[in-house]
Every structure is written in structure tokens, then in C-alpha cells.
Amino acid sequence: MRTASVSLDLDNLWAYLKTHGNPDWEHRPSFLGTAVPRLLDVFGEHRLTTTVFVVGADAARDDGAQAVSDIVAAGHEVANHSWGHEPWLHRYSPAELEAELVRTEDAITAAGAPRPVGFRGPGYSVTPALVELLAARGYRYDASTLPTWIGPLARAYHNRTAQTGDSDDLFGGFGKVLAPNTPYRWRGTGVVELPVTTMPLARVPIHGAYLLQLHQISPRLARGYFRTALRLCLLTGTAPSLLLHPTDVLSGAEAPGMEFFPGMAVPGAQKAELLGWVLSLLRRHFDVVGTGEHVERLGLLRERRTELCG
């Protein structure tokens, strides 16, 4: 059976508010205590081992450290999602980027997880300088790219609803439609890139927030959309890497201040039901693993080890 992967970006409430420009983020409100047990229950019900990309500033606090401990105990991989979850890492200097990596590594290991070997930039933010740092620090893979054309549309929506003006280059341009929708290695580094899969041919996102936005219009439309995406993945030989977020199982009342975010009008029970259906359909056609295991199965890492030993 073909391989697919599921990953979770453990973005916390404060991180969403921060990007949106809401000053309440400074109080560091959290929904990890609600979201993490619910997500682990869903993963356990479907017998899935996933990868969870953890924000360092959360791993260093009590509820975040507990979340990391619970995630590891359930058998999931913990990967690096930066320290401060700022979706403009492409503006950082090399020293600032390294500090983001190191602080998060330290927080994750202090919480009881192995040192991370995978990274995803918040807001799909990645640069060659960042990849070079990942290689230097022994990372095996990055999973930061979203090969789609909707970045400018997402930025326009963000600018219309956000309380910050620091977003002129968020989410990339239309040119991302030309980015590979399948795994590859970054030239000269050996780091494997595992893109967040978008619908083959159409290059539109298929992860939770987009499905939930369609679900608000019509549950049948959302399910038909995802079925179409999987059919196209099968037809084109694309091994999907599906991205989830805590908001995929939380109601608006459980994420106060996030009324601006797509899909927050859908009740939490309906969200969990939709997620369960998505995972069941994915498992029907693919052997579903975490991103780290997905990369291992690609054979690209073995090629890299051969190069290093040659």
C-alpha cells in the first residue's frame, strides 16, 4: 500500500492572536489543555502515529511541556515549529534563525522528547539560509512549503481582518503554484523537503481550515472536495502529506478571539467527526504515518547518507 503522512502544527491560541495583531496574545492564552487530549483521542481511535510540530515557547511552559510528554507517550514524533511562531522567518538574520532553532530544541528535549530532526516554518516560511542551518544542525527534513497559488488571496483576507500591518509578504506569491507538490532534496544540503500536499492539478489546499470553510457552506461539498483530492493523488501517484491544526477540533467558544479564522463557526463535535472521516478515508487508500517516517520511506535519506559516506 502507498504511504501517506499526517502532521499536526501545535499552534496555540496566543500564536494566532499574535499573527492577527490582537494585543491579548501577550497574556499567552492557551487552548492546549483542551485540544491536545482531543486530538490524541482521535489519533488513537484511528491507530495513527503522526508528527507534531511544537512551538518552543509553548514547550517551555507547563501545559506545553505536558502536551509534549503526552504526545511522546502516545508514540508520536515531535518536530520543531520555531520558538516564537512568527510567520516572517524569511526576514530573520542567520543568527536569529539559529536562536529560534536552538531554543526550541532545548525546550522540546527538556519536556522529554528526543531532539527534533524535522522542521516546519510558521506560515510556510522557509529560505535557503534556513535550510542550510537545518542541515548544519543535523535535521533530516523540512516540511514548510505549500505549493499553491492562493497565497496572495490568503494575505488579502488576513490584511482585511487583522489588526497589524506587518504582513506585506506573508504566505508567498502566485509563483508558489510552480513549487513541487512531491518530496525533493534541497540542493547542496541533503535536507529533504516534504511539501504540505495540495490538490494535484488544481493546486488548492486540502487541509483542515479549507475543508471546514467548505463545511460551513455544505458538509457534502467538503467531503466531495476531499474525495476529489484523494482521487487525484491516486491518479497522479502523489503521496499526500496532510496538515492538521488544533482548530480542526475546537469550537469558537474554545478559541476566544479567533472568530476571524476560517471554520470557527462549525461546532467542535462536527469538526471532530469530519476529521475522523478524513482520516478513515485516507487510511482506506494509504498506509498513514508521521512525516519523519514518510521521509524515511522515501529512500531520499539513504541517498543522503551514501553521499555523506562517499
Side-chain angles (χ1 to χ4, degrees):
M1 184 177 285
R2 300 178 185 181
T3 298
S5 56
V6 170
S7 62
L8 167 69
D9 283 3
L10 198 60
D11 305 342
N12 206 350
L13 177 55
W14 65 264
Y16 286 102
L17 299 182
K18 180 180 182 181
T19 301
H20 199 63
N22 186 332
D24 289 344
W25 80 266
E26 295 180 7
H27 302 296
R28 300 281 176 164
S30 175
F31 48 42
L32 296 185
T34 301
V36 171
R38 194 173 298 174
L39 286 159
L40 291 179
D41 283 347
V42 173
F43 295 152
E45 179 182 348
H46 292 274
R47 302 185 302 280
L48 291 181
T49 300
T50 65
T51 296
V52 182
F53 290 86
V54 172
V55 176
D58 279 318
R61 52 188 282 172
D62 290 345
D63 62 343
Q66 183 62 56
V68 170
S69 178
D70 293 343
I71 289 163
V72 172
H76 303 284
E77 177 190 15
V78 173
N80 190 327
H81 197 34
S82 81
W83 172 264
H85 197 274
E86 294 189 337
W88 38 82
L89 293 186
H90 48 282
R91 305 176 187 172
Y92 280 27
S93 69
E96 290 170 328
L97 286 173
E98 187 163 23
E100 286 280 309
L101 296 176
V102 172
R103 293 180 74 188
T104 306
E105 293 163 6
D106 290 346
I108 285 173
T109 55
R115 188 177 183 276
V117 296
F119 179 84
R120 176 175 286 140
Y124 317 107
S125 180
V126 63
T127 63
L130 173 57
V131 175
E132 289 175 7
L133 274 172
L134 294 176
R137 297 196 60 77
Y139 281 73
R140 298 176 184 171
Y141 70 92
D142 177 76
S144 301
T145 59
L146 182 70
T148 184
W149 49 268
I150 70 160
L153 303 182
R155 183 165 60 249
Y157 175 81
H158 172 87
N159 290 343
R160 188 171 68 250
T161 60
Q163 303 172 45
T164 177
D166 193 27
S167 57
D168 289 345
D169 52 0
L170 292 185
F171 312 129
F174 289 111
K176 281 197 172 181
V177 73
L178 301 175
N181 201 23
T182 53
Y184 58 94
R185 284 189 296 170
W186 286 87
R187 185 176 300 171
T189 67
V191 174
V192 176
E193 183 66 32
L194 185 66
V196 176
T197 305
T198 56
M199 188 182 295
L201 306 180
R203 292 299 186 100
V204 288
I206 60 175
H207 57 275
Y210 296 88
L211 292 179
L212 288 166
Q213 189 74 346
L214 293 176
H215 187 278
Q216 287 186 179
I217 301 170
S218 165
R220 181 177 296 180
L221 175 62
R223 295 188 181 215
Y225 180 89
F226 190 71
R227 282 195 189 97
T228 300
L230 283 196
R231 287 194 192 104
L232 288 173
C233 285
L234 290 166
L235 285 171
T236 60
T238 301
S241 183
L242 185 66
L243 170 61
L244 307 176
H245 291 90
T247 49
D248 295 342
V249 296
L250 295 174
S251 67
E254 293 168 319
M258 285 191 60
E259 296 79 11
F260 63 90
F261 196 76
M264 295 312 295
V266 179
Q270 289 186 28
K271 288 184 169 186
E273 181 183 1
L274 178 63
L275 176 57
W277 176 84
V278 164
L279 296 177
S280 293
L281 187 62
L282 190 65
R283 290 191 72 239
R284 190 179 307 166
H285 298 287
F286 297 92
D287 182 17
V288 184
V289 297
T291 51
E293 176 64 20
H294 193 167
V295 170
E296 288 281 357
R297 293 187 181 188
L298 293 171
L300 292 171
L301 288 176
R302 288 191 292 275
E303 293 176 22
R304 177 192 177 191
R305 293 188 190 110
T306 300
E307 287 180 353
L308 291 175
C309 295

